[in-house]
Amino acid sequence: MERKNIMIIGAAGRDFHNFNTYYRDNKAYNVVAFTAAQIPDIDGRKYPGELAGELYPEGIPIYSQDQLPELIKELQVDECVFAYSDVSYEDVMGVGAIVNAAGADFTLLGPKKTMLKSNKPVISVCAVRTGTGKSQTSRKIIETLLEHNLKVIAVRHPMPYGDLNAQRVQRFATLEDLKKHRCTIEEMEEYEPHVARGNVVYAGVDYADILEAAENDPDGCDVILWDGGNNDFSFYEPDLAVTVLDPHRPGHELKYYPGEVCLRTTDVAIINKVDSAAEEAIQTVENNIKSASPDSTIIKAESKITVDDPESITGKRVLIVEDGPTLTHGEMKLGAGTVAAERLGAKEIIDPRPFAVGTLTETFNKYKHIGNVLPAMGYGEQQLKDLEETINRADCDAVIIGTPIDLTRVISINKPSTRVHYDLEEISSPNLKDILKDFIQEHQLV
């Protein structure tokens, strides 16, 4: 039988997972290429033969998505599989139109073909957009399970931007592990909050191997927590699905792929940030939950903000640094740092754009919606250098660090700085403690 030529359109994450779970050993298909988008400098590589399996001993090339029409014709592609997240429906179908116009079919793989089944109970934490508050929700769930003396292993959505062979299975148990694996800022932002609390985190490329390692972790494992990325749905079949929504972007829960999939398959829908959102926006989100996922439990929660040094903000001219992906493809114009500046009476929020250098200038040119905040871009050494230089060139009294990690550990800042922390605080009933108590009893974990 002639094999069908497949190209997987991705961003170094879901694309590799779809390949590993559905295409790698499937002799009906021939994956001729991956394309890459969203993340800087991840094209021009190869998915290595050691990971690609017996059908692909030479590995699989990764090209820029900009080359899509030409690649479809040159490689005689029959079908393109769209495999990355936090994309508007308009953009998804825009890619679909390019694919169809070049003569190929356009496909989206669903949970049935890509979710793996664990022998441990699984809780998934997903979202309808990047930057809704997945991480603080995951932390809250883990802390609650720890109160019941359960060992929780977190498995994070992939961010394999370096040596793919070396990143096949990664285990993070200490801050030193972040250095050992040469993590980017984006990776550290997701792993460090778990590790700092004494939790083990797994991530990498091959999520079947990762699942086996997590289930048999040397520290023990009672529950697997899937800590999602962007607005992707879980790689593992959940026994309890939690989805976080953001009333600062009302309506986005029904307009972005695959966030609506997360909403429609969730058991628990958390409306986060209700303390800083308009009541009308909160109501819009709640109505959309009831329409799309009527059987889910709705929880309203605040994103509680604390600041290490409030005096460094009050009455000062401040530069605000926020989580990069939340501002870029997440399309947010503010974050926890901005909320802290407003609440604590900063004299002025400094526009970072006049001080931007190198890759950050490119970021501002590409994502023109970003306001007076600086995205913490750090996918490589050059971006880190550009971030450091931009901050140090800025004419301000102090720097507000609204990222999940302490930037002063990875760059040198030449002016006073303070960190903003944020935690999930539920204000409605039932809450996560009630839901997790039922989950524990159902799975006989105590």
Side-chain angles (χ1 to χ4, degrees), residues 361-380:
T361 300
E362 297 170 11
T363 298
F364 281 116
N365 288 336
K366 182 177 180 180
Y367 299 98
K368 296 185 183 300
H369 66 271
I370 298 176
N372 288 0
V373 287
L374 179 63
M377 305 298 289
Y379 293 105

Side-chain angles (χ1 to χ4, degrees), residues 123-125 133-134 136-145 147-148 225 240-244 267-270 297-301 424-440:
I123 299 172
S124 67
V125 178
K134 292 185 302 294
Q136 55 191 281
T137 303
S138 294
R139 294 196 301 268
K140 183 81 170 187
I141 290 172
I142 290 173
E143 289 165 2
T144 302
L145 293 173
E147 291 173 3
H148 293 269
L225 182 131
L240 176 67
V242 178
T243 298
V244 189
D267 299 306
V268 180
I270 297 178
T297 300
I298 297 175
I299 296 176
K300 292 181 181 179
L424 190 82
E425 188 168 294
E426 303 135 284
I427 61 169
S428 65
S429 183
N431 57 29
L432 283 172
K433 284 195 174 186
D434 299 326
I435 290 165
L436 292 171
K437 182 179 179 181
D438 293 340
F439 175 84
I440 290 168

Side-chain angles (χ1 to χ4, degrees), residues 125-168:
V125 178
C126 300
V128 296
R129 289 302 314 273
T130 297
T132 59
K134 292 185 302 294
S135 296
Q136 55 191 281
T137 303
S138 294
R139 294 196 301 268
K140 183 81 170 187
I141 290 172
I142 290 173
E143 289 165 2
T144 302
L145 293 173
L146 289 176
E147 291 173 3
H148 293 269
N149 297 315
L150 296 172
K151 293 186 179 294
V152 185
I153 300 294
V155 179
R156 182 60 173 72
H157 190 277
M159 293 179 282
Y161 309 141
D163 182 336
L164 297 177
N165 274 324
Q167 293 179 290
R168 183 172 196 147

Side-chain angles (χ1 to χ4, degrees), residues 195-216:
V195 172
R197 286 168 167 78
N199 293 115
V200 173
V201 183
Y202 281 87
V205 180
D206 193 318
Y207 276 76
D209 288 354
I210 290 169
L211 180 59
E212 182 178 359
E215 291 169 339
N216 297 283

Side-chain angles (χ1 to χ4, degrees), residues 15-230:
D15 47 355
F16 298 155
H17 179 69
N18 283 3
F19 171 79
N20 292 337
T21 54
Y22 189 69
Y23 293 106
R24 180 163 54 190
D25 300 317
N26 194 331
K27 294 182 179 180
Y29 301 102
N30 176 37
V31 177
V32 296
F34 292 93
T35 66
Q38 284 189 335
I39 310 302
D41 303 322
I42 59 170
D43 55 305
R45 304 187 298 169
K46 262 193 173 185
Y47 193 67
E50 295 90 334
L51 291 170
E54 294 180 359
L55 297 177
Y56 305 92
E58 302 300 318
I60 302 169
I62 305 171
Y63 301 98
S64 170
Q65 187 178 304
D66 294 338
Q67 301 172 257
L68 191 55
E70 296 81 11
L71 291 169
I72 290 171
K73 293 175 181 177
E74 290 172 12
L75 301 175
Q76 299 181 329
V77 174
D78 299 302
E79 183 177 329
C80 289
V81 180
F82 190 90
Y84 62 97
S85 51
D86 212 19
V87 190
S88 71
Y89 289 150
E90 182 178 4
D91 287 342
V92 173
M93 293 316 301
V95 175
I98 292 170
V99 169
N100 287 167
D105 296 335
F106 186 67
T107 299
L108 302 169
L109 292 184
K112 185 176 180 180
K113 290 181 177 176
T114 60
M115 277 187 179
L116 302 170
K117 178 66 177 174
S118 175
N119 61 32
K120 302 287 186 180
V122 174
I123 299 172
S124 67
V125 178
C126 300
V128 296
R129 289 302 314 273
T130 297
T132 59
K134 292 185 302 294
S135 296
Q136 55 191 281
T137 303
S138 294
R139 294 196 301 268
K140 183 81 170 187
I141 290 172
I142 290 173
E143 289 165 2
T144 302
L145 293 173
L146 289 176
E147 291 173 3
H148 293 269
N149 297 315
L150 296 172
K151 293 186 179 294
V152 185
I153 300 294
V155 179
R156 182 60 173 72
H157 190 277
M159 293 179 282
Y161 309 141
D163 182 336
L164 297 177
N165 274 324
Q167 293 179 290
R168 183 172 196 147
V169 177
Q170 296 175 297
R171 182 180 187 269
F172 302 92
T174 68
L175 293 178
E176 284 300 313
D177 290 332
L178 302 178
K179 294 181 181 179
K180 181 178 76 175
H181 291 289
R182 303 179 68 182
C183 290
T184 64
I185 282 183
E186 186 186 5
E187 291 172 296
M188 286 189 283
E189 285 178 343
E190 301 301 337
Y191 307 151
E192 184 176 309
H194 288 299
V195 172
R197 286 168 167 78
N199 293 115
V200 173
V201 183
Y202 281 87
V205 180
D206 193 318
Y207 276 76
D209 288 354
I210 290 169
L211 180 59
E212 182 178 359
E215 291 169 339
N216 297 283
D217 187 81
D219 289 346
C221 175
D222 297 311
V223 177
I224 300 282
L225 182 131
W226 173 259
D227 191 356
N230 278 1

